[in-house]
C-alpha cells in the first residue's frame, strides 16, 4: 500500500465519496491531456456551486468533520478510541491536509486552497488535537447530527430538514407562563434531570408548534435535536428511538396536531412509548405532542352507548393524555391580549401602533375567524408590506 496515496485513506475513507473532493482528485490525478481540461472544469464548476473557491481547505475540513466513521462514532458515544484507531485517524488527517494544501494546477488563479479550520490545527501537538476533536464529537454527536438540527422520518430512516423554521422565542408574543414551563422542562431534559413528556393543547394559531421550534433554535447548540413524526408513522416510534439510542444528543420526538379515534391502533403504541413499555423510556428522547383538544382520543355519544362498560371506555379514552407528564394549555386569545401582541409585533417592525392600526387589527381578526397570535402576525406582515409599498392597509 502506498502510504502517501490519498486512495489509502482508512478511517476517513468516506471523504472519497464527497462530490467536490472526488472531482478534485479526478482533476489532479488524471494524466490524460485529452480529459484533463474537462475534469478540471468539472471540479471548478462543483467548487463554485459549493461556494468553496476562497477556502477549499475549509470545505474539506467540514466534510471530514461531518463524516460518520469509526473514530467519530466512538468519541460521540463517550468511549475512548483504541491506539490503533487514533493512529489511523491521525494518519488520514495529515494525508488529507497535505494533499489539499499542495500546489495544484490553477490554484491562485481559479481558487484558493486556504487554511485548515482551527479545530484541525496540529501545531500544538497531536495529543491536544485528539483531545479537542474527541470533546467536540462527545458534545455535538457525529455525522448528520452535527450539520442538522431537525429531522423527519421516512422509510425507516431519519431525513435531515434542510431549512428548518428560524423562529425565535422573542418573536412569539404572549403566553410567557406557558413558554416558561416548557423551557424549564427542556432544560431539565438537557441537564439529565427528571423531565416529563409534554402535551401542548389549545386553539389553533396560539403558537404551540412555533414554541417548540423556537426552543430548538434556542438550545440546539446545547445538544438538542428534533425529529418530527407524522401521526401515520407513530407505530414506528420504538424504531425511531432505536436509531438514536446510543446518540449522546437529546432528541425531541415531535408529533404535531395529534388526534386519534377510539379504534385507532396507534393509541396503544403511543401509550407504551409514553409509559409502561417493556423497553422502558430512554433518557435521550422526550415526546412532545400538540393537539387542539385536551383529550386526544375523540369521544362520541355512540361510543358510550355501544359500550357495555361506559366508565371503562371513558377511562381508556382519557388515559392517553394523562400519560404525558406535563400538559400546557395555550388558551384562546382575548381582545386585550390580542391587541397587546399586535403592539409588540408592531414595535419589532417599527410600526406606529396607533388607534387606527389597532382598529384594523381587530377587524382583521374578526374577519378571519377569531383572535390569535397567528392572526396578529399575519396582520402585521400585511401592514409592513403596505407600508413598504406606500399604500393603505386594505383587506
Amino acid at each position: 500500500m502506498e502510504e502517501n496515496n490519498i486512495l489509502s485513506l482508512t478511517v476517513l475513507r468516506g471523504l472519497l465519496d464527497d462530490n467536490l473532493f472526488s472531482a478534485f482528485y479526478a482533476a489532479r490525478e488524471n494524466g490524460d491531456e485529452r480529459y484533463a481540461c474537462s475534469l478540471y472544469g468539472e471540479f471548478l464548476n462543483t467548487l463554485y456551486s459549493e461556494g468553496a473557491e476562497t477556502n477549499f481547505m475549509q470545505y474539506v475540513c467540514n466534510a471530514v468533520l461531518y463524516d460518520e466513521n469509526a473514530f467519530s462514532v466512538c468519541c460521540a458515544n463517550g468511549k475512548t478510541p483504541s491506539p490503533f484507531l487514533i493512529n489511523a485517524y491521525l494518519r488520514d488527517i495529515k494525508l488529507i491536509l497535505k494533499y489539499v494544501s499542495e500546489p495544484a494546477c490553477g490554484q491562485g488563479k481559479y481558487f484558493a486552497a486556504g487554511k485548515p479550520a482551527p479545530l484541525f490545527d496540529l501545531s500544538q501537538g497531536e495529543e491536544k488535537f485528539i483531545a479537542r476533536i474527541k470533546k467536540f464529537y462527545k458534545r455535538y454527536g457525529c455525522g448528520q447530527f452535527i450539520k442538522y438540527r431537525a429531522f423527519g422520518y421516512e422509510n425507516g430512516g431519519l431525513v435531515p430538514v434542510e431549512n428548518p423554521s428560524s423562529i425565535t422565542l422573542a418573536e412569539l408574543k404572549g403566553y410567557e407562563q406557558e413558554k416558561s414551563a416548557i423551557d424549564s422542562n427542556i432544560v431539565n431534559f438537557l441537564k439529565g434531570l427528571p423531565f416529563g413528556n409534554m402535551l401542548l393543547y389549545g386553539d389553533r394559531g396560539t403558537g404551540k408548534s412555533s414554541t417548540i421550534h423556537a426552543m430548538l433554535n434556542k438550545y440546539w447548540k446545547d445538544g438538542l435535536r428534533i425529529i418530527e413524526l407524522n401521526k401515520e408513522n407513530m407505530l414506528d416510534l420504538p424504531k425511531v428511538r432505536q436509531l438514536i439510542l446510543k446518540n449522546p444528543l437529546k432528541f425531541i420526538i415531535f408529533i404535531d396536531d395529534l388526534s386519534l379515534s377510539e379504534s385507532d391502533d396507534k393509541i396503544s403504541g403511543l401509550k407504551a412509548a409514553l409509559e409502561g413499555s417493556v423497553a422502558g423510556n430512554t433518557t435521550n428522547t422526550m415526546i412532545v405532542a400538540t393537539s387542539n383538544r385536551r383529550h386526544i382520543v375523540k369521544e362520541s355519544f355512540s361510543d358510550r352507548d355501544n359500550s357495555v362498560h361506559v366508565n371503562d371506555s371513558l377511562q381508556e379514552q382519557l388515559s392517553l393524555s394523562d400519560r404525558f407528564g406535563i400538559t400546557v394549555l395555550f388558551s384562546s386569545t382575548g381582545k386585550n391580549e390580542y391587541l397587546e401582541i399586535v403592539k409588540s409585533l408592531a414595535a419589532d417592525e417599527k410600526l406606529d401602533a396607533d388607534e387606527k392600526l389597532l382598529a384594523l387589527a381587530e377587524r382583521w381578526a374578526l374577519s378571519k375567524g377569531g383572535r390569535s397570535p397567528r392572526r396578529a402576525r399575519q396582520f402585521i406582515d400585511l401592514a409592513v408590506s403596505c407600508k413598504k409599498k406606500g399604500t393603505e392597509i386594505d383587506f
Side-chain angles (χ1 to χ4, degrees):
M1 180 175 68
E2 295 182 46
E3 289 294 324
N4 294 322
N5 191 323
I6 198 68
L7 293 180
S8 68
L9 289 173
T10 55
V11 180
L12 293 169
R13 197 163 186 79
L15 186 63
L16 299 175
D17 295 325
D18 181 86
N19 289 337
L20 180 53
F21 190 83
S22 61
F24 178 68
Y25 171 80
R28 284 199 54 160
E29 303 301 329
N30 195 295
D32 191 329
E33 293 184 3
R34 293 175 298 174
Y35 301 109
C37 290
S38 177
L39 290 171
Y40 194 68
E42 184 66 29
F43 161 65
L44 291 178
N45 178 267
T46 309
L47 182 81
Y48 298 150
S49 297
E50 294 288 346
E53 65 274 12
T54 60
N55 195 335
F56 177 49
M57 180 70 81
Q58 180 74 54
Y59 174 92
V60 172
C61 287
N62 285 337
V64 169
L65 199 62
Y66 300 146
D67 184 61
E68 187 169 324
N69 52 67
F71 179 84
S72 64
V73 170
C74 182
C75 294
N77 290 332
K79 299 178 181 178
T80 302
S82 70
F84 300 102
L85 184 55
I86 290 175
N87 289 334
Y89 182 79
L90 278 170
R91 174 203 170 267
D92 283 1
I93 289 292
K94 292 175 184 177
L95 181 56
I96 291 166
L97 295 180
K98 180 181 179 183
Y99 189 75
V100 175
S101 62
E102 286 178 345
C105 177
Q107 280 184 229
K109 183 176 182 181
Y110 297 108
F111 76 101
K115 296 180 180 180
L119 193 63
F120 290 89
D121 181 13
L122 296 173
S123 63
Q124 295 182 354
E126 296 176 357
E127 287 188 12
K128 288 188 176 181
F129 164 69
I130 290 296
R132 189 165 62 246
I133 203 78
K134 283 170 61 179
K135 184 178 179 181
F136 177 90
Y137 283 127
K138 186 175 181 180
R139 179 177 180 184
Y140 295 105
C142 62
Q144 61 183 346
F145 299 108
I146 300 173
K147 189 175 183 180
Y148 301 102
R149 68 188 76 173
F151 300 84
Y153 176 79
E154 294 178 12
N155 302 319
L158 300 182
V159 181
V161 177
E162 293 285 348
N163 297 298
S165 170
S166 59
I167 194 165
T168 65
L169 289 171
E171 296 175 75
L172 298 174
K173 309 302 182 181
Y175 298 95
E176 298 304 324
Q177 186 174 348
E178 292 82 356
K179 289 186 290 188
S180 177
I182 295 167
D183 189 286
S184 177
N185 190 47
I186 289 177
V187 169
N188 289 345
F189 178 48
L190 291 172
K191 291 187 175 182
L193 301 173
F195 67 92
N197 298 309
M198 293 191 289
L199 172 62
L200 282 51
Y201 71 98
D203 292 341
R204 65 186 187 278
T206 49
K208 301 181 294 294
S209 301
S210 295
T211 297
I212 296 303
H213 292 143
M215 292 293 173
L216 172 66
N217 294 330
K218 179 179 180 179
Y219 290 115
W220 75 271
K221 290 185 178 180
D222 296 310
L224 185 65
R225 302 292 184 269
I226 193 168
I227 299 171
E228 297 204 27
L229 191 64
N230 294 328
K231 187 179 77 171
E232 291 72 21
N233 291 325
M234 276 204 306
L235 290 178
D236 283 350
L237 209 155
K239 295 180 181 178
V240 174
R241 278 180 158 168
Q242 284 299 315
L243 289 174
I244 54 176
L245 183 62
K246 296 182 179 179
N247 198 298
L249 301 175
K250 301 287 187 177
F251 292 86
I252 288 176
I253 300 178
F254 184 49
I255 308 169
D256 198 16
D257 197 19
L258 178 61
S259 65
L260 300 168
S261 62
E262 186 183 16
S263 60
D264 202 320
D265 60 353
K266 300 179 185 68
I267 294 176
S268 59
L270 184 54
K271 278 186 180 180
L274 290 168
E275 181 184 332
S277 65
V278 175
N281 293 324
T282 54
T283 57
N284 72 333
T285 59
M286 172 196 289
I287 298 174
V288 178
T290 67
S291 177
N292 291 338
R293 44 191 293 131
R294 168 68 174 84
H295 302 303
I296 300 167
V297 182
K298 296 179 181 178
E299 304 174 63
S300 67
F301 286 109
S302 60
D303 290 338
R304 301 183 185 187
D305 293 341
N306 294 333
S307 176
V308 177
H309 303 289
V310 176
N311 187 59
D312 289 347
S313 178
L314 293 177
Q315 289 303 316
E316 179 71 12
Q317 290 175 336
L318 301 180
S319 64
L320 177 57
S321 55
D322 287 343
R323 295 197 183 204
F324 286 91
I326 293 177
T327 56
V328 182
L329 169 62
F330 282 70
S331 57
S332 58
T333 311
K335 181 178 179 179
N336 291 337
E337 292 86 358
Y338 169 73
L339 292 179
E340 285 300 318
I341 292 172
V342 170
K343 290 177 184 178
S344 295
L345 292 172
D348 288 349
E349 300 292 347
K350 295 180 173 55
L351 294 175
D352 184 13
D354 55 17
E355 290 185 9
K356 180 181 179 181
L357 186 77
L358 296 180
L360 286 169
E362 175 69 0
R363 183 156 66 89
W364 167 271
L366 297 179
S367 69
K368 298 297 181 180
R371 306 178 188 92
S372 71
R374 181 184 295 164
R375 295 291 182 226
R377 178 76 265 175
Q378 291 170 345
F379 173 76
I380 292 298
D381 287 344
L382 173 64
V384 169
S385 297
C386 290
K387 180 182 179 181
K388 291 182 176 179
K389 290 188 297 184
T391 61
E392 291 293 325
I393 301 173
D394 187 26
F395 52 89

